[in-house]
Amino acid sequence: MRWRYILYVVGALIFFVGLSMLLPLAFGLYYRDHSVAVLLKSIGVTVSTGALLFIAFRSQRQETLRQSEGMAIVALGWTAAGLFGALPFFLEGGTLRFVDAFFESVSGFTTTGASILTDIEALPKGLLMWRSFIQWLGGMGIIVLSIAILPFLGVGGMQLYKAEVPSPVPDKLKPRIRDTATILWKVYALFSVAQIIMLMLGGMGFFDAVCHTFTTMPTGGFSTKNASIAHFDSLFMDGVIIFFMLLSGINFSLHYQMLRGRPLAFWKDGECRFFLAAVGGCIALVALDLSRYDVYDSIGEAVRYGAFQVVSIITTTGYATADYEQWPAMSQLILLTCMFLGASAGSTGGGMKCLRIMLCFKYCYRELFLLLHPRAVVTIKMGGKGVPDDVMRSVLGFLSLYVGLFVISAIAMGGLGVDFVTAITAVATAMGNVGPGFGSVGPVENYAHLPQAAKWLLIWCMLLGRLEIFTVLIFIVPAYWRK
């Protein structure tokens, strides 16, 4: 392991995090709020640290990057981003403990959307913008962004891309990985601009439209309002946000194909069909359940609120327009299932991913079939192509680790004094990068009341979920440290 080389790259990433604070600084200057001094201090510390590491280890620059080094850069890069991204929250007013500021920052960069802030609307505009912007950066991945706009690093991009992109099989749209990253970010930025325009047409102010776009496209869920999207109480805005949450939950390579004039790419993709069918089925079941118990006055309202909550949670965005803890048990259990299912591979969403669930179903069916026909040769296929054994091993290993770590973490939360429902759902939403859960971390509560140790545990769970488990756990494997 070439640790000096790793610190060289991480230094560049820290430097970029510092530069990205210039956008919220501009908003702070425009609105003349007290976030300006806080952001200036944070920029100074972050940029100086990043530049120091970059310059100190620039002689270690290499032309090739090993896979183990790529994983180290991603894990350390995300941790460093969360650490320095916490500075504006920690320095603002001096009322937050470091663990709370770090929790808020990691929740933003991992696009989880779990918050410890009790009065969001009291924050100055500059910090609200920073809180939203870190989710936008984290959505497609700060590592992918750095590959696209910092080619002077000279690193082997595919190792970083494989470690960062939330997908079991990364899509290379172009032969050069930097070109792929650039394409993904162009699509991401294009949809972001479109959503800002749509929200403003619906009557939302420019600042709120930008902030909510920055947290919709990455399926993050941070809002500038204490009541989240329910604050606006607008059918049009609900519809716009649902639409863009769905777009964000679909593999971005399909969006690129659509923009290239191939709209049937969505229908031809088996995972996309599975994802949309799951969304439609869950919405129908929840709407029927809400109507059966007369939770709302009409079937139209049941569909509206049911659809928003289902799409928000299955895409792991985490916005809320209703207190779903007051809903019937079946609806709550469907939402809990959505927290685990997650969105499509190659999207900005979290969770287990539909592709893995599909492959798991196919694997289980093959095993049942072989019980009846033990001599048959059955190949698991996706999109008409056979799935390699190494991909299947990766998928099954991921799902096993996901469930195992969920159980262990939930038990640990219970051991820290957290009640049963809160412990289970807080871990589920942290690993799935969803945000709100049930119990004392429901859609109308936050995470401020949890013990400090529980917050540290959830920070680890958020990083596990965002970096697809393997990139984080690889550090405990003894073979990783052997030369």
Side-chain angles (χ1 to χ4, degrees):
M1 291 287 290
R2 297 169 294 184
W3 286 105
R4 292 185 177 184
Y5 174 46
I6 291 171
L7 290 175
Y8 160 75
V9 179
V10 172
L13 296 176
I14 293 173
F15 184 80
F16 169 75
V17 170
L19 290 181
S20 66
M21 294 181 188
L22 292 174
L23 177 65
L25 176 64
F27 276 87
L29 289 169
Y30 179 80
Y31 288 102
R32 299 180 180 179
D33 58 44
H34 65 273
S35 67
V36 173
V38 170
L39 288 167
L40 283 173
K41 292 177 184 177
S42 301
I43 292 171
V45 172
T46 307
V47 169
S48 298
T49 304
L52 181 64
L53 288 172
F54 185 81
I55 294 171
F57 299 110
R58 67 183 183 277
S59 62
Q60 303 298 316
R61 176 175 172 174
Q62 303 290 331
E63 295 301 324
T64 59
L65 182 68
R66 301 164 188 161
Q67 187 168 3
S68 59
E69 292 168 344
M71 290 183 172
I73 289 171
V74 169
L76 292 176
W78 278 92
T79 304
L83 179 66
F84 287 94
L87 288 177
F89 302 116
F90 183 63
L91 296 175
E92 198 277 326
T95 57
L96 290 182
R97 292 174 296 187
F98 177 75
V99 63
D100 293 329
F102 190 43
F103 184 98
E104 195 77 11
S105 178
V106 171
S107 179
F109 275 109
T110 59
T111 71
T112 302
S115 181
I116 50 82
L117 298 176
T118 54
D119 188 2
I120 296 168
E121 294 176 37
L123 284 179
K125 290 289 198 296
L127 287 189
L128 284 175
M129 176 55 65
W130 175 241
R131 187 170 175 264
S132 300
F133 191 47
I134 58 178
Q135 288 207 325
W136 195 79
L137 291 175
M140 189 61 70
I142 194 171
I143 305 298
V144 176
L145 176 66
S146 65
I147 294 172
I149 69 171
L150 299 178
F152 65 87
L153 289 178
V155 302
M158 193 57 191
Q159 285 85 343
L160 289 180
Y161 186 66
K162 287 174 66 177
E164 148 59 19
V165 174
S167 167
V169 185
D171 291 306
K172 286 190 66 176
L173 304 177
K174 293 289 184 179
R176 297 179 63 190
I177 192 63
R178 192 181 65 181
D179 294 338
T180 296
T182 304
I183 287 171
L184 291 175
W185 271 96
K186 284 180 178 179
V187 174
Y188 191 58
L190 176 64
F191 286 165
S192 297
V193 172
Q195 186 183 353
I196 291 172
I197 294 172
M198 292 296 292
L199 290 176
M200 291 182 66
L201 289 175
M204 189 180 288
F206 175 73
F207 179 81
D208 286 334
V210 172
C211 286
H212 284 93
T213 295
F214 281 176
T215 56
T216 301
M217 288 308 302
T219 63
F222 276 161
S223 175
T224 57
K225 306 298 180 182
N226 292 327
S228 190
I229 305 303
H231 171 90
F232 301 98
D233 192 23
S234 166
L235 177 60
F236 176 81
M237 290 183 189
D238 286 0
V240 170
I241 292 173
I242 286 174
F243 176 73
F244 282 98
M245 285 192 295
L246 283 173
L247 282 183
S248 302
I250 295 173
N251 191 322
F252 268 69
S253 66
L254 298 180
H255 297 318
Y256 174 69
Q257 293 182 47
M258 177 196 68
L259 294 174
R260 296 272 303 203
R262 289 177 282 182
L264 292 179
F266 294 107
W267 176 250
K268 293 179 180 178
D269 185 76
E271 184 193 22
C272 184
R273 295 197 303 270
F274 179 90
F275 170 67
L276 294 177
V279 170
C282 289
I283 290 174
L285 289 173
V286 168
L288 288 173
D289 194 41
L290 295 177
S291 298
R292 182 177 58 162
Y293 287 94
D294 296 323
V295 177
Y296 295 102
D297 295 333
S298 66
I299 185 66
E301 286 191 335
V303 171
R304 172 187 171 182
Y305 292 107
F308 192 97
Q309 266 54 238
V310 165
V311 174
S312 177
I313 289 180
I314 201 170
T315 60
T316 72
T317 305
Y319 283 142
T321 57
D323 183 4
Y324 51 72
E325 288 190 282
Q326 306 303 318
W327 288 2
M330 189 180 87
S331 294
Q332 293 187 41
L333 288 170
I334 290 173
L335 294 181
L336 180 61
T337 303
C338 290
M339 292 178 185
F340 285 92
L341 178 59
S344 301
S347 71
T348 58
M352 291 181 170
K353 300 293 193 308
C354 291
L355 179 59
R356 291 192 179 98
I357 301 299
M358 291 176 66
L359 289 173
C360 185
F361 284 161
K362 289 176 178 288
Y363 179 84
C364 292
Y365 176 79
R366 186 183 72 171
E367 294 304 304
L368 291 172
F369 184 83
L370 289 176
L371 288 175
L372 298 175
H373 307 281
R375 296 184 178 180
V377 177
V378 183
T379 302
I380 297 176
K381 294 184 178 181
M382 281 292 294
K385 298 180 180 179
V387 178
D389 290 339
D390 61 331
V391 173
M392 278 307 309
R393 285 196 304 269
S394 174
V395 167
L396 296 176
F398 175 89
L399 294 177
S400 299
L401 281 172
Y402 196 102
V403 174
L405 290 169
F406 163 74
V407 172
I408 293 171
S409 300
I411 292 173
M413 286 287 287
L416 295 171
V418 180
D419 68 89
F420 178 78
V421 173
T422 302
I424 289 178
T425 58
V427 172
T429 59
M431 290 185 64
N433 303 134
V434 178
F438 292 89
S440 64
V441 294
V444 296
E445 288 91 14
N446 58 40
Y447 290 72
H449 64 281
L450 294 179
Q452 288 194 50
K455 292 173 183 174
W456 284 112
L457 176 60
L458 292 177
I459 287 171
W460 184 68
C461 289
M462 288 188 282
L463 288 170
L464 275 177
R466 185 61 182 90
L467 300 181
E468 302 279 288
I469 294 180
F470 291 117
T471 307
V472 178
L473 287 189
I474 194 67
F475 291 101
I476 67 174
V477 178
Y480 180 84
W481 302 98
R482 294 176 190 151
K483 292 184 179 180

